[in-house]
Amino acid sequence: MSSSIPTVKLNTGAEIPTIGLGTWQSEKGQVREAVRYALTETPIRHIDAAYVYLNEEEVGQGINDAIASGKVKRSDLFITTKVFMTFHNRVEESINESLKNLNLDYVDLLLVHWPLGFNPKGSHPLFPKTADRKKFDLDPTFDLVKTWKQFEQVYKSGKAKAIGVSNFSVPVLEELLAGGIEVIPAANQIESHPFLPGKEVVEFCKKHGIVIEAYSPLGSTGAPLLDNPVVTELAKKYGVPPATILVSWHVNEGRVVLPKSIKKSRILSNAEWIKIDKDDLSKLDELSSKFGLNRVVKPDWGVDLKFPDWRL
Ligand code: A2P
């Protein structure tokens, strides 16, 4: 069991710690202490936040508590946030809001949260609906490359030390890369676990030097993947909790992994990883062909995101 977390290099030259703390669905009133604890009492130095999680201010308080304790410096930390779909014509406004929430001068990584646009002047500031309330109110003028050009400006301003994307499939990445962009995305954050390994997007990103970050590595709410017999069998073999197997699968294969927890004992144990033998890594790689693909996070945005399993 290793308690030191390896890093991988982004295309900017910066190092990103391969295990970070996820904060989606981390409740207000708990996430501040969870973040402070992670950064000061465990090896975690990487926090994954987002404007739309509506807890960014508390995440920032946890980060600032950690810095104020003197145990870590801002430069030791890797902080990510994301721009939501109603802000795709106002990327600078979004990063300014996030930096205010986080009480920071810069983030280490800023991501396009999803490759689609919502009406910025609709029925709701984040989740606008059509007049009949049945669908999300998409922005027909959304232009991926135009949004990315705003990200490039934010990158040049120094407010984001790296820029990347999230929930981008191969066809969407191809569209972006063919759009005459100046800065190649540094990372692509996707749902990834042995039941949704995303082999085609992982391969594509590897070829283009884009680091894969895995969200919902335990299967999201309630961590359902921890009960899979292959995972529990490997946990028994290596004498570690099942979560360590799912975290270590990514670390061993050079990906970043972002387990979410607000419970201290879990934050600490999810920060540990082990070396897994090649044969056992292959068993995990092949789990989805045995048990089928299982995407857990599939919001009904009304747009085909072009992942092989994504159907409208
Ligand atoms: P909690 O925050 O109460 O610990 P994912 O990282 O795939 O999004 O999974 C997050 C879910 O898994 C949350 O419900 C979280 O609950 C739970 N969880 C996180 N770590 C563990 C763990 N080590 N063992 C069991 N459940 C966990």
Side-chain angles (χ1 to χ4, degrees), residues 22 24-27 193 215-226 241-244 258-267 269-270:
W24 179 43
Q25 296 182 322
S26 293
E27 295 83 352
H193 41 69
Y215 72 75
S216 299
L218 313 178
S220 196
T221 311
L225 307 186
L226 298 180
T244 304
L258 304 166
K260 172 265 172 185
S261 184
I262 37 94
K263 296 205 167 61
K264 290 184 180 176
S265 60
R266 290 175 177 175
I267 294 171
S269 79
N270 291 349

Side-chain angles (χ1 to χ4, degrees), residues 93-308:
E93 188 181 325
S94 183
I95 181 67
N96 288 344
E97 284 293 312
S98 286
L99 291 177
K100 199 162 80 187
N101 283 339
L102 293 165
N103 192 21
L104 296 175
D105 300 331
Y106 67 92
V107 291
D108 297 276
L109 179 61
L110 183 69
L111 303 179
V112 180
H113 205 146
W114 293 86
L116 56 119
F118 276 174
N119 182 353
K121 294 188 178 137
S123 63
H124 187 275
L126 290 169
F127 298 102
K129 287 290 190 82
T130 51
D132 61 7
R133 320 289 302 159
K134 287 195 175 142
K135 289 183 182 156
F136 286 109
D137 189 3
L138 296 168
D139 177 359
T141 69
F142 171 66
D143 179 325
L144 188 54
V145 173
K146 271 194 190 152
T147 294
W148 187 252
K149 294 216 174 282
Q150 294 172 62
F151 271 72
E152 291 177 336
Q153 290 311 313
V154 170
Y155 175 58
K156 286 177 192 167
S157 76
K159 289 180 184 175
K161 302 285 180 204
I163 50 175
V165 298
S166 182
N167 299 298
F168 275 43
S169 62
V170 171
V172 177
L173 282 166
E174 280 172 337
E175 183 193 329
L176 179 64
L177 296 183
I181 60 172
E182 278 179 70
V183 181
I184 305 292
N188 184 17
Q189 187 178 124
I190 53 173
E191 177 180 336
S192 178
H193 41 69
F195 304 88
L196 190 69
K199 287 181 187 171
E200 72 302 323
V201 66
V202 167
E203 195 55 41
F204 182 91
C205 286
K206 196 171 178 187
K207 202 167 103 199
H208 290 272
I210 301 170
V211 168
I212 290 281
E213 298 186 89
Y215 72 75
S216 299
L218 313 178
S220 196
T221 311
L225 307 186
L226 298 180
D227 297 329
N228 178 271
V230 175
V231 175
T232 52
E233 190 189 301
L234 288 175
K236 219 162 142 192
K237 173 175 170 183
Y238 288 90
V240 295
T244 304
I245 298 294
L246 292 171
V247 165
S248 303
W249 177 61
H250 291 291
V251 175
N252 278 254
E253 296 190 354
R255 295 183 291 271
V256 171
V257 57
L258 304 166
K260 172 265 172 185
S261 184
I262 37 94
K263 296 205 167 61
K264 290 184 180 176
S265 60
R266 290 175 177 175
I267 294 171
L268 181 62
S269 79
N270 291 349
E272 282 167 351
W273 68 284
I274 51 162
K275 279 221 153 61
I276 299 183
D277 297 342
K278 237 178 163 182
D279 287 356
D280 291 329
L281 284 177
S282 306
K283 275 190 201 160
L284 293 165
D285 289 337
E286 294 315 317
L287 263 188
S288 63
S289 32
K290 197 166 158 195
F291 290 91
L293 285 179
N294 182 13
R295 184 179 291 276
V296 184
V297 182
K298 196 180 172 196
D300 192 10
W301 302 133
V303 173
D304 180 3
L305 294 191
K306 301 182 179 156
F307 287 102

